[in-house]
Amino acid sequence: MSPLLLLALLGVTFPLPGVQALLCQFGTSYDVWNVSQLPLHWTPKEISCDSGLGCQDTMVLIESGPQVGFVLSKGCTEAKDQEPRVTEHRMGPGLSVLSYTYVCRHKDFCNNLVTTAPLWTPQPPADPGSLRCPVCLSMEGCPEGTTEEICPKGTTHCYNGLLRLRGGGIFSNLRVQGCLPQPGCNLLNGTQEIGPVRMTENCNTKGVQELLCQFGTLKEVWNVSQLPLHWTPKEISCDSGLGCQDTLVLIESGPQVSLVLSKGCTEAKDQEPRVTEHRMGPGLSVLSYTYVCRHKDFCNNLVTTAPLWTPQPPAGACPRVGGEGGAVRRGSDPGSLRCPVCLSTEGCPEGTTEEMCPKGTTHCYNGLLRLRGGGIFSNLRVQGCMPQPGCNLLNGTQEIGPVRMTENCNTKDFLTCHRGNSLQKGDNLAQVPIGWTVSNTVMCEAGQVCQETLLLIDVGRKSTLVWSKGCSAVGAQNSQKTSIHSAPPGVLVASYAHFCSSDLCNGASSSSVLLNSLPPQGAPEPGDQQCLTCVQPLGTCSSDSPVKTCPRGTTHCYDGYISLSGGGVTTTMGIQGCVAQPSSSLLNHTRQIGIFSVREKGEEEPPAPHSERGGAGGLESLTWGVGLALALALWWGALCPSC
């Protein structure tokens, strides 16, 4: 395992004026992969941090034979800024442990690591030795009789231990077996913390007495007709003294029900199964189930909503109330009030369908629930019918199990925006508009606005268009701007940036919003200059690019790149073409284009990561981080419903 340190991936410093809360890439992932599957890629989510917090990236790679354990944590942190650092905790022969850590505050989404590629290259084959050891990496445990493999030359002992990973959204155990060059239980060479992740080691694997619990989270909105729901949890070994917990929250509004589930370890005292009716209509209903136990492994064994939920009786039927720990549902006759009815983690659009409210309701409710804790980090928009006015859907409840819940009915503070991004390469994109369909939406944090940003680069017939839609803390006021950074003849670089403050206002559906503002371009007359011509959206151009006769009025050749990040996009675009001036800057030293932070070749280079051991090499190309194969399992990992 030899780390290649990616220089351009880590961005440069240019503060954004007026931004009070930093936006960071966010998520966790932990799993075991075959070495042949590397490099891994992922698409993180986004989070708005509290004021003063920074962004952090933490990645750990543990290799044993043909397998590699992968641990990733991205999000907000109180830690001080720290330059990118690659640390070789153990570098074979045999077992290897490599980590990457970074803390930054200089710009939104500065923790922009989206691939293992810059930190990992395949290890050259090692000469075989004479020792044979069981070789295994597993989050669930290595079975007895694990296949033994021939260890590399230089190893003398078999390692068998358990790594406990806690913090930074990671709560997992990794069983490790493999080959080491010395005896003992010191796989990490004394390391106890890597970024926010605490790591403890135990080689007395037969003597581990900790409780085993069911583990995972689930948060989604369903139609009532799809209930009961079922799920398949994972398993986890808890720290000594901790118990198992089950927390389930069901919120019903009309034909929809929101399910929030948290399962795992807890410090809380034992508590008998408890069903609480926080609100039971008419209209909106909120029901929760909580349980804490220590009497046996996997005692938090709730795997379905069935014991807590039965279909609502037809209007006018007698109430049906379950017994202790059982299902609770009520019916009601229709009334005369009509209200918008919606449950959504992405936001309820304007013009949500109004439905007839049940008898006994007198007011329409419109609020936002913020759910934090127990592996849950989510916002839920709620609209429906209530029997009284006010912003008290939960009847004063602020915590359900480990999940903290806060309520805000000033929903104008929370915009819903179109969300998506794309990079497209083609011919004549500067003359012919292209369209797109964006079906995803996102609910922004308080104070954020909607944005859409387009960047077009054209070198004469060959073009690249990058666009992004979503939330932003940039551009707090409504604004719309088209800019021509580099004008013909020669390379064209133009952009469109729109910030707006109403729901779904970032609704442009084609590149015509940019092209309509560009001056008309006729067929250029050829000149005397010839240049390499290239626009490469995923890296730098080469010396093998085709040569083109430049248009009249151009006198120089450009050969460089533009790196951009933000709005879910991280990439470098190589550019070669004809220009009218000898200046090396196509962007005229612009550092911000809409949501995109940009840097051009020759401008400030970021500091290289520090490697505590081993050498470092540089790579110029960035990685496009959209739609790639590895999905992040956020904060405790998602459960797979099998309903």
Side-chain angles (χ1 to χ4, degrees):
M1 193 195 316
S2 174
L4 294 176
L5 308 181
L6 183 60
L7 189 65
L9 178 64
L10 302 167
V12 295
T13 300
F14 40 92
L16 302 177
V19 178
Q20 300 300 318
L22 199 62
L23 300 175
C24 298
Q25 293 187 353
F26 158 76
T28 63
S29 184
Y30 42 92
D31 212 336
V32 175
W33 303 80
N34 289 328
V35 172
S36 61
Q37 294 176 279
L38 272 67
L40 303 175
H41 306 270
W42 49 89
T43 302
K45 292 192 176 181
E46 301 176 359
I47 188 173
S48 177
C49 300
D50 292 338
S51 180
L53 297 187
C55 302
Q56 69 87 14
D57 258 328
T58 299
M59 182 171 69
V60 183
L61 296 170
I62 302 172
E63 181 189 14
S64 182
Q67 294 180 301
V68 60
F70 169 77
V71 178
L72 176 74
S73 170
K74 301 172 72 72
C76 308
T77 183
E78 295 179 351
K80 295 180 180 179
D81 286 359
Q82 176 217 300
E83 293 299 317
R85 180 180 302 154
V86 175
T87 305
E88 299 174 1
H89 305 276
R90 178 173 297 280
M91 291 305 297
L95 282 160
S96 298
V97 183
L98 171 74
S99 73
Y100 169 85
T101 53
Y102 181 38
V103 178
C104 54
R105 288 174 171 82
H106 61 275
K107 65 176 181 178
D108 288 336
F109 310 119
C110 55
N111 62 332
N112 55 4
L113 186 71
V114 293
T115 174
T116 61
L119 307 175
W120 178 280
T121 56
Q123 188 172 358
D127 292 333
S130 57
L131 180 68
R132 297 181 68 93
C133 291
V135 174
C136 171
L137 290 174
S138 176
M139 300 288 183
E140 299 177 350
C142 299
E144 293 295 328
T146 297
T147 303
E148 292 187 347
E149 298 189 9
I150 297 177
C151 295
K153 187 176 181 180
T155 58
T156 57
H157 290 78
C158 297
Y159 177 88
N160 185 5
L162 182 74
L163 291 183
R164 302 163 63 85
L165 314 174
R166 305 289 189 268
I170 302 294
F171 198 101
S172 182
N173 295 337
L174 178 67
R175 184 71 178 274
V176 183
Q177 292 180 332
C179 311
L180 278 182
Q182 74 281 325
C185 190
N186 189 19
L187 178 64
L188 301 174
N189 278 321
T191 301
Q192 295 182 328
E193 291 187 357
I194 299 177
V197 183
R198 301 181 304 278
M199 309 185 75
T200 57
E201 188 176 5
N202 189 325
C203 295
N204 183 19
T205 54
K206 293 184 179 180
V208 176
Q209 300 297 319
E210 292 86 353
L211 198 63
L212 300 175
C213 297
Q214 292 187 354
F215 157 76
T217 63
L218 181 63
K219 46 190 181 295
E220 191 59 81
V221 174
W222 307 82
N223 289 328
V224 172
S225 60
Q226 294 176 280
L227 272 66
L229 301 174
H230 306 268
W231 48 86
T232 303
K234 294 184 178 181
E235 301 175 0
I236 191 167
S237 175
C238 299
D239 291 341
S240 180
L242 297 187
C244 302
Q245 69 88 13
D246 259 328
T247 300
L248 174 67
V249 183
L250 298 171
I251 302 173
E252 182 193 12
S253 183
Q256 294 180 301
V257 61
S258 166
L259 181 147
V260 177
L261 175 72
S262 170
K263 302 172 71 73
C265 307
T266 182
E267 296 179 351
K269 296 180 180 179
D270 286 358
Q271 175 214 302
E272 293 299 316
R274 180 184 301 159
V275 175
T276 304
E277 302 173 11
H278 305 275
R279 178 172 298 281
M280 288 309 297
L284 281 161
S285 298
V286 183
L287 172 73
S288 73
Y289 169 85
T290 53
Y291 180 38
V292 178
C293 55
R294 288 174 171 81
H295 61 277
K296 65 177 181 179
D297 288 338
F298 309 121
C299 55
N300 61 332
N301 55 4
L302 186 70
V303 293
T304 174
T305 60
L308 309 175
W309 182 279
T310 57
Q312 186 168 359
C318 295
R320 175 183 177 183
V321 182
E324 182 177 353
V328 184
R329 305 291 290 112
R330 290 177 170 83
S332 181
D333 293 327
S336 57
L337 179 68
R338 297 182 69 90
C339 291
V341 173
C342 172
L343 291 173
S344 176
T345 57
E346 298 180 345
C348 301
E350 293 296 327
T352 297
T353 303
E354 291 188 349
E355 297 193 7
M356 187 69 70
C357 294
K359 186 176 182 180
T361 56
T362 56
H363 290 78
C364 297
Y365 177 88
N366 187 4
L368 180 78
L369 291 182
R370 298 166 59 89
L371 314 174
R372 304 290 188 269
I376 301 294
F377 196 102
S378 181
N379 294 337
L380 179 67
R381 186 73 179 270
V382 183
Q383 292 180 332
C385 311
M386 290 269 278
Q388 73 281 324
C391 190
N392 190 19
L393 176 64
L394 301 173
N395 278 323
T397 301
Q398 295 182 329
E399 291 187 358
I400 299 177
V403 183
R404 301 182 304 279
M405 309 183 75
T406 56
E407 188 175 3
N408 188 320
C409 294
N410 187 15
T411 55
K412 292 183 179 179
D413 291 343
F414 301 89
L415 292 182
T416 299
C417 304
H418 292 291
R419 176 179 64 184
N421 45 39
S422 179
L423 185 153
Q424 294 169 273
K425 180 180 178 181
D427 296 338
N428 298 318
L429 299 185
Q431 286 80 38
V432 181
I434 59 172
W436 52 76
T437 300
V438 180
S439 57
N440 293 330
T441 60
V442 61
M443 185 161 36
C444 301
E445 295 291 335
Q448 292 184 341
V449 297
C450 300
Q451 71 81 22
E452 50 191 351
T453 304
L454 285 74
L455 177 62
L456 172 68
I457 301 174
D458 181 86
V459 296
R461 292 186 60 84
K462 298 297 182 182
S463 314
T464 292
L465 178 71
V466 186
W467 62 263
S468 168
K469 293 173 178 283
C471 304
S472 177
V474 184
Q477 298 180 352
N478 291 338
S479 64
Q480 183 172 308
K481 182 180 180 181
T482 300
S483 301
I484 300 176
H485 307 280
S486 176
V491 177
L492 167 68
V493 180
S495 65
Y496 169 84
H498 180 208
F499 298 92
C500 52
S501 54
S502 60
D503 286 335
L504 303 177
C505 56
N506 58 337
S509 58
S510 83
S511 60
S512 60
V513 294
L514 171 59
L515 301 190
N516 289 345
S517 299
L518 301 181
Q521 299 181 47
E525 296 183 18
D528 300 325
Q529 180 78 22
Q530 287 191 326
C531 293
L532 299 175
T533 304
C534 164
V535 55
Q536 171 55 258
L538 298 176
T540 54
C541 297
S542 72
S543 58
D544 297 328
S545 301
V547 177
K548 173 189 173 184
T549 299
C550 297
R552 178 176 294 179
T554 59
T555 57
H556 292 77
C557 299
Y558 178 91
D559 188 351
Y561 60 78
I562 295 174
S563 297
L564 70 153
S565 63
V569 176
T570 301
T571 191
T572 286
M573 296 184 291
I575 305 168
Q576 292 173 331
C578 311
V579 290
Q581 302 293 332
S583 169
S584 61
S585 176
L586 296 176
L587 298 177
N588 291 317
H589 308 292
T590 298
R591 296 297 184 85
Q592 194 74 33
I593 298 176
I595 197 66
F596 298 141
S597 299
V598 294
R599 178 178 56 82
E600 194 168 356
K601 180 182 179 181
E603 296 179 335
E604 297 175 15
E605 294 289 345
H610 302 300
S611 180
E612 295 189 359
R613 295 176 56 196
L619 294 177
E620 287 187 336
S621 61
L622 301 182
T623 301
W624 177 251
V626 179
L628 297 171
L630 175 61
L632 286 171
L634 292 179
W635 296 112
W636 281 9
L639 301 178
C640 297
S642 55
C643 49

